[in-house]
Amino acid sequence: MSTYCCVHEPHKASKSLFGVPNNLEIKILCKEALGVQLKKSHRVCAKHFYDNDIVLGTQIKDLLNIL
């Protein structure tokens, strides 16, 4: 498991790292937004998300029902 942010643009990575989504639709959206080819082992730091993008303690199926 990676311990660094996979986004290559210069930035100071935050300590919070998130894995690549398993859901294909969300994975494609992330790939397009970040501009990088995502692998299962990659991690993305919190600097690449808005505060309201990070939802803790919620199942992905609950989020998909909202979309």
Side-chain angles (χ1 to χ4, degrees):
M1 180 183 306
S2 179
T3 58
Y4 61 91
C5 180
C6 70
V7 179
H8 298 291
E9 67 185 36
H11 69 286
K12 184 176 179 182
S14 73
K15 291 182 181 180
S16 299
L17 294 170
F18 300 92
V20 175
N22 290 325
N23 179 281
L24 184 58
E25 291 176 46
I26 297 174
K27 183 177 180 178
I28 290 169
L29 291 173
C30 289
K31 181 180 114 175
E32 291 171 355
L34 294 169
V36 296
Q37 190 67 24
L38 295 173
K39 297 179 182 177
K40 188 176 182 178
S41 62
H42 281 160
R43 299 291 177 261
V44 179
C45 78
K47 297 262 182 173
H48 304 287
F49 298 93
Y50 294 111
D51 288 341
N52 61 344
D53 288 339
I54 300 171
V55 181
L56 302 175
T58 302
Q59 298 282 334
I60 189 67
K61 64 182 179 181
D62 295 336
L63 291 175
L64 290 175
N65 288 334
I66 295 171
L67 299 177

